[in-house]
Amino acid sequence: MLIDDLSAALPADRLVRDPDVLRGFAHDEAEWAPHALPAVVVRPHTAEEVQTVVRSCLRHGTPLVTRGAGTGLSGGANAVEDCVVLVTDRLRAIKEINEQERLAVVEPGVVNDDLRAACAERGLWYPPDPASSPWSTIGGNVATNAGGVCCVKYGVTRDYVLGMQVVTGTGELVRLGRRTAKGVAGYDLAGLMVGSEGTLGVITEVTLRLRPARAAERTVAGYFDTTVAAGEAAAAVAACGILPSALELVDRHCLAAVDAWKNMGLSTDANVVLLGRTDAPGAQGEHEASVLLECFEKAGATWAAQSSDQAEADALFAARRLAYPALERLGPVLTEDVCVPTQAVPEMLARIDRAALRHDVVIANIAHIGDGNLHPLLVTPPGDETARKNAQAAFEDIISGALDLGGTVTGEHGVGLLKQPGLTRELGPAVLELHRAVKRALDPQQIFNPGKVFHEGTPA
Amino acid sequence: MLIDDLSAALPADRLVRDPDVLRGFAHDEAEWAPHALPAVVVRPHTAEEVQTVVRSCLRHGTPLVTRGAGTGLSGGANAVEDCVVLVTDRLRAIKEINEQERLAVVEPGVVNDDLRAACAERGLWYPPDPASSPWSTIGGNVATNAGGVCCVKYGVTRDYVLGMQVVTGTGELVRLGRRTAKGVAGYDLAGLMVGSEGTLGVITEVTLRLRPARAAERTVAGYFDTTVAAGEAAAAVAACGILPSALELVDRHCLAAVDAWKNMGLSTDANVVLLGRTDAPGAQGEHEASVLLECFEKAGATWAAQSSDQAEADALFAARRLAYPALERLGPVLTEDVCVPTQAVPEMLARIDRAALRHDVVIANIAHIGDGNLHPLLVTPPGDETARKNAQAAFEDIISGALDLGGTVTGEHGVGLLKQPGLTRELGPAVLELHRAVKRALDPQQIFNPGKVFHEGTPA
């Protein structure tokens, strides 16, 4: 029995078998994604213990689902029948922050914000900042190639992963990638692991590139009557020749929900708020702020200004970050994550509006709009079956719209379970077959997170 | 016969069989790397013609070596016995430069500098700038994940590849990656192709991320008595909290060789020149230039100043770019490409000096020193067998030194043939086996550039 194996090989406190506790590890935050109860939850303390777990799973042919904080929004960490769920929450050491090489070496369970704080103490900056950063872990961020507010100027998690330690599909503990600034020795297998959602191995350590701390940001806020008008402002910014350090959209649904929860005094007459930031220092920062302002005004902002009140600007960004949990208080929320070319953003936002009307669904909008990465949030009343079906139909409409406009079904949340039909349409059969070939090559016994991202199918 | 197949399927001018011409396509610029005469050279004009070639090779089990401009320095494009060499020089369309989305779509045979010029006309910038940029192609740059002077601030080719069209190991013509700013739909197979040196498929089109044009650069030059002192200045820059837009080392061997060739008036009393640049605008640029100057002076520069003469600064950068061809005029040059942690640069430069003494080899040095990416150039007199053996022994010493210091055997040139022993040491058997598994998965008939990067070996 697998359990006997694990019990014999690991200290007793590594294993969780209490069904009530297991239930807490059965799924992530994706709404209405299928999940099962795991046979056991394992909380290893070292890479070698992870290797022990993988080898046990290989011996017994048991599926292994790796899980960070469980903040995923696509079902990628959902347990499958009789699987082992490996939780990384005890692998939480920041092993090294190296000012000279500007890199950090961390275990996968380190929380994003904790790493960012530790870097900041040393005058360094780890840019990737998903909205889940107070809770989500670096391992999960790497597994989904997480994005965030910074991406419009500073890129995604992938751009900061130099190397990693991984337990492979044959149970080996290996190092991929490097510690140097550059390197082309062999295939970019570390890069391949990023965004593979736990289907190719278990990450036990990550080496991350850091940047020097940056200048304070200036914030420009604009109010718009419609998401489409705000989208036109964002398209103008994308074409204006500057790189803002943030360009975010928040609509009144989100602001009202956050305000109802946190009483931040956010209520405003605006239907849609656009938040631009620049971190260019000095006169260049002034210039960039004025360009953002001009883009907002030309696109029809009803009000726009460079914020002179840092607390007010921070509150608006905090509201953007809290939008998802605030809306979840009201009922189940289905979260979209399409990403379209920036010039297609106004049309995509119009299609989202039409999907809301067509299917009679309340759709709140937040967006990393500077990247064309939209997060329509489909809000439903608790326990309302019709509303659920309507939301799911609107979800499919939005995916179709994004693909029609040359976009992708997932900008930063990952495929997990919810985006599998969309992925099949986006990639097509030949590219899916390449995925299957890679999966078979690196996970020959198909134990890692089976059924996620794509169906393995049978060998061609 | 393969030739009959190709002759029947392609217009006659696509095929080259004249042995004198074939010889010109038998190898790249790697010194003393083994190569053979190809059976035929094919110059397809379209992606579909590339697919025809791949399918013919699959039918006949014929090895296929893809080649751009042949400026590689590791033997990655060297022909193997009876292979087809597919040259991308007729696939040279810039299909799209999109100011709004800041991206370009190009065929693989487009020359790097031609793309950069076309982007500049539209206020855009394609950063990757290998020294070969006047000749090397985007396809070759992608296949080797080429670097250049810009990398210290702006990263490598990988950081600019959004997507591509590829003919696969089963002869399918597919699209990988995307056109959007972000995207995590499936495995990062486009990223996996970058740096795979033609061993996983044939790239027929690349979608590249662009940046807005940047501010004019300021140059700070410093003279040093030894490479080690210059290395200490570079280590200080890496730890100083600013990101220079360039940090290059050129020694007197290179300056003298370029001057003897181009008569640029470069002769100087310095043994080693360090060239720093900043492209930060305005007061920030002034500040960064002064920080560079301070780092140079504290490390013992015999002279250092911010250049007030743009022509002079450009001449020094041109000399750095011309160093390799200038030295090659003097005799065979074995080019190293190790990359070490920035704090290990002074020690690595000392080891290079010791290798030169120990093996009685003239070693000229250029380096992307801000990245720790060193290019010791081992210069030998033409036809001197003893000098060749000494150079090859020094080459191995340098590789060992880099691995000892936590570095990699190749920062940007690729593994090809010359770095295979080093790669084996760097990766170890378990990671090499992962490479073989990926290779078998994506090139099941093992037709793509066989014997390059690593030996396929037999299935485990």
Side-chain angles (χ1 to χ4, degrees):
Chain A
M1 283 274 291
L2 171 84
I3 298 286
D4 301 328
D5 244 29
L6 292 173
S7 300
L10 296 171
D13 67 346
R14 301 331 192 233
L15 303 185
V16 181
R17 301 188 61 191
D18 175 344
D20 287 340
V21 183
L22 292 184
R23 259 187 283 281
F25 292 98
H27 59 82
D28 64 17
E29 294 187 13
E31 205 57 65
W32 303 314
H35 53 84
L37 209 60
V40 60
V41 164
V42 190
R43 295 171 133 160
H45 287 216
T46 66
E48 289 69 26
E49 291 185 3
V50 172
Q51 186 177 28
T52 297
V53 177
V54 171
R55 289 184 165 181
S56 287
C57 289
L58 284 169
R59 257 194 306 279
H60 297 276
T62 306
L64 175 64
V65 178
T66 305
R67 175 192 173 95
T71 57
L73 291 163
S74 300
N78 282 12
V80 299
E81 199 68 36
D82 284 328
C83 75
V84 170
V85 168
L86 187 157
V87 188
T88 61
D89 60 352
R90 304 298 153 109
L91 290 159
R92 57 187 168 198
I94 297 177
K95 293 180 164 181
E96 178 183 358
I97 295 180
N98 189 318
E99 288 98 327
Q100 275 75 39
E101 304 297 333
R102 283 200 301 267
L103 61 79
V105 181
V106 305
E107 291 186 327
V110 171
V111 169
N112 179 300
D113 271 358
D114 292 346
L115 173 61
R116 292 153 59 81
C119 292
E121 281 175 18
R122 291 166 174 81
L124 294 168
W125 179 41
Y126 175 66
D129 58 349
S132 60
S133 67
W135 314 287
S136 67
T137 62
I138 295 299
N141 291 173
V142 170
T144 55
N145 193 10
V149 169
C150 75
C151 306
V152 65
K153 182 164 181 177
Y154 293 103
V156 295
T157 300
R158 170 70 190 88
D159 299 310
Y160 296 88
V161 175
L162 285 170
M164 58 178 67
Q165 190 189 47
V166 173
V167 180
T168 70
T170 53
E172 308 265 0
L173 182 63
V174 300
R175 290 196 172 276
L176 306 175
R178 60 187 200 276
R179 276 175 69 97
T180 51
K182 293 158 74 180
V184 292
Y187 298 152
D188 185 7
L189 298 183
L192 182 63
M193 292 297 299
V194 179
S196 64
E197 302 188 36
T199 65
L200 298 179
V202 183
I203 297 167
T204 55
E205 185 190 286
V206 189
T207 302
L208 295 164
R209 185 195 303 275
L210 305 174
R211 293 181 62 95
R214 57 178 174 165
E217 293 178 284
R218 289 164 220 265
T219 303
V220 176
Y223 292 176
F224 296 84
D225 281 338
T226 65
T227 53
V228 175
E232 280 159 6
V237 171
C240 77
I242 67 158
L243 289 175
S245 54
L247 190 59
E248 296 290 314
L249 176 148
V250 196
D251 77 4
R252 73 186 155 81
H253 296 293
C254 298
L255 293 175
V258 172
D259 216 40
W261 183 25
K262 298 286 185 182
N263 195 21
M264 291 166 80
L266 294 167
S267 38
T268 160
D269 296 334
N271 279 324
V272 186
V273 177
L274 215 55
L275 298 168
R277 278 187 158 169
T278 164
D279 60 4
Q284 178 68 13
E286 273 307 324
H287 167 68
E288 293 189 0
S290 71
V291 171
L292 291 174
L293 195 58
E294 197 183 323
C295 289
F296 289 9
E297 286 171 344
K298 279 195 179 160
T302 55
W303 175 87
Q306 184 175 338
S307 175
S308 54
D309 179 348
Q310 188 64 34
E312 182 194 68
D314 289 345
L316 286 166
F317 272 90
R320 187 255 167 266
R321 193 170 287 267
L322 292 170
Y324 178 71
L327 287 164
E328 262 203 316
R329 292 173 66 243
L330 310 179
V333 177
L334 197 55
T335 308
E336 253 301 348
D337 176 41
V338 292
C339 188
V340 297
T342 54
Q343 300 308 302
V345 163
E347 171 60 18
M348 188 67 229
L349 287 164
R351 290 184 184 210
I352 292 168
D353 286 350
R354 291 202 294 272
L357 282 175
R358 185 179 312 121
H359 299 287
D360 189 26
V361 182
V362 174
I363 301 187
N365 275 290
I366 48 177
H368 304 305
I369 198 164
D371 290 312
N373 187 193
L374 311 181
H375 293 313
L377 302 167
L378 293 74
V379 186
T380 61
D384 183 334
E385 247 330 80
T386 308
R388 177 178 70 77
K389 284 184 182 150
N390 288 347
Q392 288 173 329
F395 187 86
E396 294 305 325
D397 268 17
I398 291 168
I399 285 177
S400 294
L403 291 175
D404 283 354
L405 294 171
T408 175
V409 299
T410 176
E412 59 178 13
H413 291 171
V415 176
L417 294 165
L418 294 185
K419 289 300 174 70
Q420 286 192 18
L423 185 83
T424 301
R425 289 170 60 191
E426 180 170 340
L427 300 187
V431 175
L432 267 180
E433 194 45 52
L434 296 180
H435 280 70
R436 291 194 184 102
V438 168
K439 168 77 171 168
R440 288 194 296 267
L442 298 183
D443 180 19
Q445 291 195 45
Q446 309 265 346
I447 61 161
F448 292 130
N449 214 6
K452 307 299 171 56
V453 186
F454 55 89
H455 283 285
E456 286 81 358
T458 47
Chain B
M1 284 273 291
L2 170 86
I3 297 289
D4 301 329
D5 244 28
L6 291 173
S7 300
L10 295 172
D13 68 346
R14 294 348 184 220
L15 303 185
V16 181
R17 301 188 60 190
D18 176 342
D20 287 340
V21 183
L22 291 185
R23 258 186 284 281
F25 292 98
H27 60 83
D28 64 18
E29 294 187 13
E31 205 57 64
W32 304 313
H35 53 84
L37 209 61
V40 61
V41 164
V42 189
R43 293 172 135 158
H45 287 216
T46 65
E48 289 70 25
E49 289 185 4
V50 173
Q51 187 177 27
T52 297
V53 176
V54 171
R55 289 183 165 182
S56 288
C57 288
L58 284 170
R59 258 195 305 279
H60 296 276
T62 306
L64 176 62
V65 178
T66 306
R67 177 193 171 95
T71 57
L73 292 164
S74 300
N78 282 13
V80 298
E81 199 69 37
D82 285 328
C83 75
V84 170
V85 167
L86 187 158
V87 188
T88 61
D89 60 353
R90 305 298 153 107
L91 289 159
R92 56 188 168 199
I94 297 178
K95 292 180 165 180
E96 177 183 359
I97 294 180
N98 189 317
E99 288 99 326
Q100 275 75 38
E101 304 298 333
R102 283 201 300 267
L103 61 79
V105 181
V106 306
E107 290 185 327
V110 171
V111 169
N112 179 301
D113 270 359
D114 292 346
L115 173 61
R116 291 153 61 79
C119 291
E121 280 174 17
R122 290 165 174 83
L124 293 168
W125 179 39
Y126 175 66
D129 57 349
S132 59
S133 67
W135 315 286
S136 66
T137 63
I138 296 298
N141 292 173
V142 170
T144 55
N145 193 10
V149 169
C150 74
C151 305
V152 65
K153 182 164 182 177
Y154 292 103
V156 295
T157 300
R158 170 70 191 86
D159 300 310
Y160 296 88
V161 174
L162 286 170
M164 58 178 67
Q165 190 189 47
V166 173
V167 180
T168 71
T170 54
E172 307 266 0
L173 183 63
V174 300
R175 289 194 174 278
L176 306 176
R178 60 187 200 276
R179 276 175 70 97
T180 50
K182 291 158 75 180
V184 292
Y187 297 151
D188 184 7
L189 297 183
L192 183 63
M193 293 297 298
V194 179
S196 65
E197 302 187 35
T199 66
L200 298 179
V202 183
I203 297 167
T204 55
E205 186 189 285
V206 189
T207 302
L208 295 164
R209 183 197 302 277
L210 306 175
R211 291 181 63 95
R214 58 177 173 166
E217 294 178 282
R218 289 164 220 265
T219 303
V220 176
Y223 292 176
F224 295 84
D225 280 338
T226 65
T227 52
V228 175
E232 279 159 7
V237 172
C240 76
I242 67 160
L243 288 175
S245 54
L247 189 59
E248 296 289 314
L249 175 150
V250 197
D251 76 3
R252 72 185 156 80
H253 296 293
C254 299
L255 293 175
V258 172
D259 216 43
W261 182 25
K262 297 287 184 181
N263 196 21
M264 291 165 80
L266 294 168
S267 38
T268 160
D269 295 333
N271 278 324
V272 185
V273 177
L274 215 54
L275 298 167
R277 277 187 160 169
T278 165
D279 60 4
Q284 179 68 15
E286 272 307 325
H287 167 67
E288 292 189 357
S290 71
V291 171
L292 290 174
L293 195 58
E294 198 184 321
C295 289
F296 289 8
E297 285 171 344
K298 279 195 180 162
T302 56
W303 175 88
Q306 184 174 339
S307 177
S308 53
D309 180 347
Q310 189 65 35
E312 181 193 68
D314 289 345
L316 285 167
F317 272 90
R320 188 256 166 266
R321 191 169 288 269
L322 293 170
Y324 178 72
L327 286 166
E328 261 204 315
R329 292 173 65 243
L330 310 179
V333 177
L334 197 55
T335 307
E336 253 301 345
D337 176 42
V338 292
C339 188
V340 297
T342 54
Q343 300 308 303
V345 164
E347 171 60 20
M348 188 66 229
L349 287 165
R351 290 185 185 209
I352 292 168
D353 286 350
R354 291 203 294 272
L357 282 175
R358 184 180 311 122
H359 299 287
D360 190 26
V361 182
V362 175
I363 301 187
N365 275 290
I366 48 178
H368 305 305
I369 198 163
D371 291 313
N373 187 193
L374 312 180
H375 294 313
L377 303 167
L378 294 74
V379 187
T380 61
D384 183 333
E385 243 336 73
T386 308
R388 177 177 71 75
K389 284 184 183 152
N390 288 347
Q392 287 173 328
F395 186 86
E396 294 305 325
D397 268 17
I398 292 168
I399 285 176
S400 293
L403 291 175
D404 283 353
L405 295 171
T408 176
V409 300
T410 176
E412 59 179 13
H413 291 172
V415 177
L417 294 166
L418 294 185
K419 289 299 176 72
Q420 286 192 17
L423 185 82
T424 300
R425 290 171 60 190
E426 182 170 340
L427 300 188
V431 175
L432 267 179
E433 194 46 51
L434 296 180
H435 280 71
R436 292 193 184 102
V438 168
K439 168 78 171 168
R440 288 193 297 267
L442 297 183
D443 179 20
Q445 290 195 44
Q446 309 267 347
I447 61 162
F448 292 130
N449 213 6
K452 307 298 170 59
V453 187
F454 55 89
H455 284 285
E456 284 83 355
T458 46

